[in-house]
Amino acid sequence: MHHSRSEGKTATRPGGGELKTLGSRFRPPRMLFTAIDRPFPLSKIRDGLARQIVVVHAPSGFGKTALLKAGYEAVTSGSDYFQSLFDGGVGHCGWITLDPAHTRPAELLADLCLALGIRAPQPPASLRELFDIVADRESGAILFIDELDIASSPDVQAFLDGFFLGAPDNLRIVCASQQKLPLPLARLRVRGLVTEINAVDLAFSRNEIRSLFPRNINTGDVANFVRATRGWPALTQIALGVMESGGADERDRLLAGEHPDLFRHIDEAILRLLSPALRRMLCVTSILEEFPLELASHLSGTDLQADDLRLLEDMSPLIEKSQTGAAWYRLHPIVRKCLTIELAGDPQTDEATLHSIAAIWFAERGFLERAVSHAARAGNFSLAAQTIRQAGGVNLFIRAGHTVLEHLIDDLPAGVIHESPSLSLCYVLVLAKKGHIKAARERMEAIKQGRALHGDEFLTIEASTLDHIDGLVDIYEDLHLDDAQILHLERMASGFSPQSTWELGWIYNHLCIAYTRRGNLDLARLSALKALAYYREEKTAYAQIFMLIHLGLVNTLAGNFSAALTFCREAQDLIQSAQWTDVNLEAICRVATADVLYLQGEIALVERSLGEAVNAVVQGEGWVDIYSRMFSLLARSRLRLSGLDTAMAAIDKAEEVAVERALPRLKIAADIMRVDIFSKTGLIESAVLLAERLVSSLRDPELGRFWTWREESDFLVAQARLLKAQGRPAEGLANLEIVMARSRANGSGYHLLAAEILATVAAWNDGRHAQALEYFQLAIARARSHEVTQLFEDEGLEFSTVVRAIVRRFGLKVFSADAVDFIGRIIGQGEKSVFGKPVDNGRRIKGPLAGGKSLLSQREQQVLLCLHEGKSNKEIARALGLSEPTVKFHLKNVFSKLGVSRRAMALAVSAKLNLR
């Protein structure tokens, strides 16, 4: 560190020399728990110091002091980054932890002088004098202030205002507090001097918690713990301690966020700081997912004082604002659990009464979904039924989402459900979404036939609502999605005004699925976009998520893989913010996302993600396209990672679901998967027998109606692979040409790409070399911009051999430099690369093919490099320790692969392709 003119010596580090005599408040505290390096919040401190002031604000247990200590140690380590903040470097780095003794400005001024290393004979009597001394230094000073909110007298607050506003440029400050202090942050923000770090920045991410937890904790348990704790660092630290000493039962309670040690910490560190009135208010509101302050006061029978209201603002994210309204709040999941336990132990409070009061309050103000929920939980089923009728029946629950709907229905007795058409329709939805399709259809027909029995309540249910639920059951049954149904839906859409956003939303939702099933992908995509727009007007997150998932699936089929991934990511974000408790919805989104990730080569991630999603999708909502994609991706990824047996297990599960849900199309898709995998693994006889059975199924009038364009295209591709394996490439190519023609017509870029890749091999094996080159060039052009590599790699060694033969015959000159780069990656994925490794003469080969095995052998690359250096054949031979005839042999191969006949052309082509 640099010397300061006022001190005349280098500042000492904590723990040694002069600073040790100042006491513990002037150095960071000793901390036994060091979790992990956290580059993100530390980078925010670095960036903030480049301005001037960093303010860290978060409730207890979020690692404020640990972050300040990490920043202090980074500065005192002599990092060039911090030295570069000042022209004269960092001359002094100080620390001070405030305490309640700082009740007068003079006391705080004296301690700040010590923390800043000011040892003047006459100590400064004012802030202005202190600033003059610091400003007079040639080097800069950085001061860390912990527990800034401890000193809170009005005089000290005024002093701190002056300290932050008047600090000279060569004094940078990092401070931390639990409460938001009345510092002049607005004026500092205007001047661009302040950086703020909050609890969201300090919370551990899922990956950080995963790295801290023992390896035997599975990903699902980590996700549950993150969901319960929201990354609260103190709870993670407690969890690690319990895991070291506790048994399996304790660990399970911990991962579920229900361990008493977690509750004890919350009680000691958070709840005991609250006033009795605020604690009581939060305790009774623990029955609510989220609450307005007006209802909180109504339930607790008390009004909050100004100090309590300020404290509410300070406690985010333990008590945080919700998106419902300006004065609405929600409790952190574990804080809520802790308060729920406290409420249950209060003999003077009856929870059913609280639910009933909340139900009436919500109903009076039009929050009908909430009113029904609390009425049911209070056992007031007449109020629940009345509220449903007031809400317009089942429409309320169609918008609410599967988890909400299922929860509400589970809370109601069967007799109440069966007596109400609205509730019966809700029950139909729950049955369908749980996979009990036959029971849902039977109950739906019974409701239609019993119209006269239900009187006026049935008349309140609009025909469009019945159509909507009928259509949903059709989707789950995979029925009635033909041209007649499409025409019916189109006529319905034309009959609604643009203001009927909900009705138009679900109609276009159904049209998207019907068009996808029929193979009109352009109209499917357009319908999905229309539905999404209408649902956004309705502000229904649940419905929006489904349309984003559909857009992901349709765009994947259309070959717009990058766009598909974008829609899936948007759906994931919306799930995390609005539907994070809906495990089934998250699992469906994973399937759509995995579709693209597999194509981009993320096989291990796909296998792990779908392995975790299978049970949720099988036990919850799903439809044929989702099941087909999920099990196909799972089988293909397992085949690559762990072999045939585990792949077959995935297909067996697909057949099991097909039988349980009576979905013949899924059974057909599973058989096609088997043919494809049998052909890839050399089980030709099994593949032939199954293929013959599928052909019979397709020709059968009864079974053939369950085939769609997707099954037909998938089967033609799988059959082409089988025919190629049987030595009948011309017949296989005929299949693939049908797929390619159909795919060009309906816009299926996915099937077109798959067919072109396989057609490359089939055409080459059939002696149609120019046609093989054409197919290969088309496939590369289609896949390269989206980084789709896996379909090429799935074809294995035979495909790599054919590509090398194409290169030898036509030369690399027929491809662009980017295409050559892509070819190198797709034909050698997983093989050990020769690039970046020293060769015999110590040179390093460079080139765009470093991701995989080169199209040129290692020796050919060496010869080409020598060629670019202007060496003759004799000089090349001497440099590489070869004979001249051997050099000529390698040159001939290089010329052949580049598609040239002379040295000059070889140099030009290899330079163009960045191969030198």
Side-chain angles (χ1 to χ4, degrees):
M1 289 190 170
H2 298 273
H3 296 293
S4 74
R5 191 159 55 191
S6 61
E7 294 178 83
K9 63 179 181 178
T10 300
T12 53
R13 295 187 181 185
E18 190 174 343
L19 286 182
K20 189 173 183 180
T21 65
L22 296 179
S24 60
R25 290 193 299 108
F26 294 92
R27 58 177 177 269
R30 179 169 175 260
M31 304 181 76
L32 293 178
F33 176 71
T34 302
I36 47 175
D37 290 331
R38 308 204 62 205
F40 171 68
L42 194 57
S43 70
K44 293 200 74 169
I45 284 186
R46 289 199 301 265
D47 295 342
L49 285 173
R51 296 182 175 191
Q52 185 165 23
I53 297 168
V54 182
V55 177
V56 184
H57 167 256
S60 174
F62 275 85
K64 300 181 296 298
T65 300
L67 177 61
L68 261 63
K69 181 178 181 180
Y72 178 87
E73 290 174 347
V75 174
T76 55
S77 68
S79 165
D80 290 340
Y81 179 89
F82 295 104
Q83 294 291 337
S84 66
L85 293 176
F86 308 98
D87 292 338
V90 179
H92 182 85
C93 180
W95 178 288
I96 181 172
T97 301
L98 301 191
D99 66 22
H102 292 117
T103 57
R104 294 186 301 160
E107 296 166 345
L108 184 53
L109 176 64
D111 280 353
L112 288 174
C113 289
L114 292 175
L116 287 168
I118 297 174
R119 305 289 186 272
Q122 184 67 34
S126 67
L127 268 179
R128 175 51 52 200
E129 291 182 21
L130 181 150
F131 290 154
D132 287 343
I133 292 172
V134 174
D136 195 41
R137 293 174 172 175
E138 294 177 352
S139 57
I142 297 177
L143 179 62
F144 289 81
I145 308 176
D146 197 16
E147 299 188 16
L148 187 64
D149 46 358
I150 291 291
S152 56
S153 71
D155 289 343
V156 168
Q157 284 299 317
F159 176 87
L160 288 172
D161 280 0
F163 180 72
F164 282 96
L165 283 172
D169 183 62
N170 66 335
L171 172 58
R172 308 296 167 89
I173 304 166
V174 184
C175 60
S177 67
Q178 288 191 38
Q179 299 180 17
K180 290 181 180 177
L181 299 175
L183 295 174
L185 294 182
R187 282 180 282 175
L188 292 168
R189 288 192 198 102
V190 169
R191 291 161 57 185
L193 300 179
V194 67
T195 295
E196 296 177 72
I197 300 175
N198 58 30
V200 174
D201 300 316
L202 295 173
F204 284 155
S205 68
R206 182 181 299 189
N207 288 337
E208 287 176 320
I209 292 178
R210 169 75 274 179
S211 69
L212 287 167
F213 275 13
R215 292 181 180 272
N216 63 345
I217 305 297
N218 65 47
T219 305
D221 286 337
V222 173
N224 290 337
F225 183 79
V226 173
R227 192 176 290 114
T229 64
R230 303 279 179 87
W232 193 343
L235 302 190
T236 303
Q237 180 180 351
I238 292 169
L240 292 174
V242 172
M243 286 180 188
E244 288 179 2
S245 57
D249 180 60
E250 278 199 286
R251 190 195 68 178
D252 291 343
R253 294 171 68 192
L254 183 79
L255 293 170
E258 297 174 352
H259 196 280
D261 284 0
L262 303 179
F263 298 145
R264 275 193 287 270
H265 173 79
I266 290 170
D267 181 57
E268 293 172 6
I270 304 298
L271 300 182
R272 290 185 186 179
L273 302 177
L274 308 180
S275 70
L278 179 55
R279 182 160 181 162
R280 171 63 181 170
M281 180 178 286
L282 295 179
C283 197
V284 297
T285 55
S286 66
I287 68 167
L288 306 166
E289 295 286 342
E290 53 184 11
F291 57 91
L293 286 181
E294 182 185 351
L295 175 57
S297 295
H298 183 60
L299 287 174
S300 64
T302 183
D303 292 324
L304 294 184
Q305 302 302 311
D307 288 345
D308 289 330
L309 289 171
R310 280 194 295 270
L311 186 57
L312 277 179
E313 299 294 328
D314 287 341
M315 294 186 69
S316 178
L318 307 184
I319 305 169
E320 62 181 351
K321 288 283 187 73
S322 78
Q323 297 179 351
T324 303
W328 284 66
Y329 294 85
R330 62 183 174 194
L331 296 171
H332 184 285
I334 293 193
V335 173
R336 186 180 175 199
K337 284 184 181 179
C338 186
L339 289 168
T340 300
I341 293 171
E342 183 174 324
L343 182 66
D346 183 357
Q348 298 180 344
T349 302
D350 178 52
E351 288 188 44
T353 301
L354 291 175
H355 281 297
S356 185
I357 294 170
I360 295 169
W361 191 94
F362 281 127
E364 289 173 348
R365 288 157 180 80
F367 296 101
L368 301 177
E369 177 193 326
R370 300 172 195 272
V372 173
S373 175
H374 288 286
R377 291 161 74 182
N380 192 341
F381 301 114
S382 61
L383 175 60
Q386 177 187 348
T387 305
I388 289 170
R389 287 190 289 271
Q390 184 182 348
V394 75
N395 278 342
L396 168 68
F397 303 108
I398 297 175
R399 301 165 193 251
H402 173 53
T403 303
V404 171
L405 174 61
E406 185 178 1
H407 174 71
L408 294 177
I409 288 297
D410 286 346
D411 282 342
L412 296 175
V416 174
I417 293 172
H418 299 325
E419 289 173 3
S420 164
S422 296
L423 287 176
S424 293
L425 282 174
C426 292
Y427 190 46
V428 167
L429 278 176
V430 169
L431 287 171
K433 287 172 180 285
K434 282 185 172 181
H436 306 306
I437 310 298
K438 185 177 180 181
R441 174 61 70 190
E442 290 173 352
R443 191 165 294 276
M444 186 70 190
E445 294 305 318
I447 291 170
K448 290 179 184 177
Q449 293 168 11
R451 293 183 183 211
L453 300 177
H454 295 295
D456 293 340
E457 185 181 349
F458 193 95
L459 297 177
T460 64
I461 301 174
E462 297 179 3
S464 63
T465 298
L466 289 173
D467 280 337
H468 183 14
I469 298 174
D470 237 351
L472 282 173
V473 178
D474 284 344
I475 290 167
Y476 300 138
E477 286 183 308
D478 196 43
L479 294 174
H480 307 133
L481 296 170
D482 51 14
D483 291 339
Q485 175 69 355
I486 289 173
L487 182 60
H488 171 66
L489 291 169
E490 287 174 340
R491 285 174 177 169
M492 285 186 67
S494 65
F496 284 105
S497 69
Q499 289 72 38
S500 301
T501 51
W502 176 255
E503 289 79 5
L504 288 169
W506 71 255
I507 289 172
Y508 282 111
N509 180 349
H510 288 201
L511 276 170
C512 167
I513 296 169
Y515 282 135
T516 301
R517 195 181 190 279
R518 298 295 290 169
N520 196 327
L521 298 183
D522 286 340
L523 286 177
R525 186 165 57 243
L526 181 61
S527 297
L529 289 169
K530 286 182 178 179
L532 179 61
Y534 286 124
Y535 286 147
R536 281 177 172 162
E537 284 192 53
E538 285 282 329
K539 295 182 173 59
T540 53
Y542 184 77
Q544 289 178 54
I545 290 165
F546 263 106
M547 294 326 301
L548 290 167
I549 291 171
H550 281 304
L551 283 165
L553 294 168
V554 172
N555 276 282
T556 299
L557 285 173
N560 304 319
F561 306 114
S562 301
L565 192 56
T566 299
F567 283 120
C568 291
R569 297 296 192 206
E570 188 176 346
Q572 287 175 330
D573 291 343
L574 197 52
I575 289 170
Q576 290 302 312
S577 63
Q579 293 284 339
W580 56 272
T581 60
D582 196 325
V583 177
N584 177 247
L585 187 57
E586 182 186 15
I588 292 173
C589 188
R590 284 192 185 194
V591 175
T593 308
D595 217 350
V596 184
L597 294 178
Y598 181 88
L599 295 173
Q600 294 180 340
E602 300 286 352
I603 303 176
L605 177 60
V606 167
E607 196 277 337
R608 184 170 63 252
S609 179
L610 293 185
E612 295 169 358
V614 164
N615 287 339
V617 178
V618 167
Q619 296 169 11
E621 182 173 12
W623 59 100
V624 171
D625 288 338
I626 281 291
Y627 294 127
S628 178
R629 296 313 301 156
M630 178 173 68
F631 289 116
S632 174
L633 290 166
L634 193 56
R636 288 153 70 188
S637 59
R638 284 181 175 176
L639 182 66
R640 296 281 303 214
L641 294 173
S642 50
L644 180 62
D645 289 345
T646 56
M648 287 297 106
I651 300 177
D652 290 343
K653 186 65 178 177
E655 288 200 39
E656 181 184 315
V657 173
V659 172
E660 287 180 354
R661 299 203 175 206
L663 297 173
R665 184 157 72 101
L666 181 58
K667 174 65 169 66
I668 292 166
D671 284 342
I672 294 170
M673 294 177 212
R674 288 190 193 278
V675 172
D676 195 58
I677 288 181
F678 284 157
S679 300
K680 285 180 178 176
T681 54
L683 300 174
I684 304 303
E685 290 184 9
S686 299
V688 168
L689 290 173
L690 196 50
E692 289 173 352
R693 194 169 77 195
L694 283 165
V695 170
S696 298
S697 164
L698 180 58
R699 292 171 179 169
D700 183 276
E702 179 62 27
L703 294 175
R705 66 191 179 93
F706 294 108
W707 286 68
T708 73
W709 69 276
R710 291 182 67 176
E711 287 71 50
E712 290 177 12
S713 295
D714 287 339
F715 179 57
L716 285 169
V717 172
Q719 192 179 42
R721 180 172 285 107
L722 174 60
L723 290 166
K724 176 178 66 67
Q726 291 177 298
R728 300 155 63 188
E731 295 174 61
L733 190 57
N735 271 17
L736 296 171
E737 286 170 345
I738 294 172
V739 174
M740 288 185 277
R742 176 183 293 162
S743 299
R744 292 188 192 99
N746 72 3
S748 175
Y750 171 84
H751 285 92
L752 184 55
L753 176 60
E756 286 169 345
I757 293 170
L758 192 55
T760 301
V761 180
W764 185 270
N765 290 351
D766 196 43
R768 307 183 205 180
H769 297 159
Q771 197 172 0
L773 171 64
E774 181 182 349
Y775 288 138
F776 186 46
Q777 288 174 321
L778 289 170
I780 291 173
R782 203 173 308 284
R784 196 179 69 223
S785 61
H786 301 283
E787 285 300 313
V788 170
T789 59
Q790 195 58 46
L791 289 180
F792 297 89
E793 292 158 22
D794 282 349
E795 297 305 322
L797 182 59
E798 183 184 14
F799 181 77
S800 298
T801 302
V802 167
V803 171
R804 293 178 188 283
I806 289 173
V807 169
R808 282 195 302 271
R809 183 176 184 90
F810 297 102
L812 288 172
K813 66 180 181 181
V814 298
F815 303 101
S816 68
D818 289 341
V820 171
D821 178 22
F822 189 75
I823 293 168
R825 284 185 282 126
I826 62 176
I827 69 169
Q829 187 68 26
E831 298 181 38
K832 193 170 182 179
S833 171
V834 299
F835 287 97
K837 294 181 178 291
V839 291
D840 295 349
N841 60 0
R843 299 173 187 162
R844 289 184 181 272
I845 303 298
K846 298 179 181 179
L849 308 182
K853 190 174 181 181
S854 170
L855 290 167
L856 303 179
S857 71
Q858 180 174 329
R859 186 65 77 186
E860 288 164 357
Q861 294 171 57
Q862 293 171 318
V863 170
L864 182 59
L865 183 60
C866 290
L867 206 62
H868 275 281
E869 292 173 352
K871 289 182 169 62
S872 65
N873 287 1
K874 184 177 293 186
E875 289 170 328
I876 295 173
R878 189 181 303 118
L880 300 180
L882 303 173
S883 67
E884 279 193 67
T886 302
V887 170
K888 290 179 181 179
F889 169 78
H890 289 308
L891 277 174
K892 181 181 177 182
N893 286 339
V894 169
F895 290 173
S896 173
K897 290 180 179 180
L898 294 179
V900 300
S901 58
R902 299 191 307 274
R903 283 178 177 247
M905 293 174 65
L907 293 174
V909 171
S910 61
K912 178 184 176 183
L913 299 179
N914 298 323
L915 291 178
R916 56 177 177 165

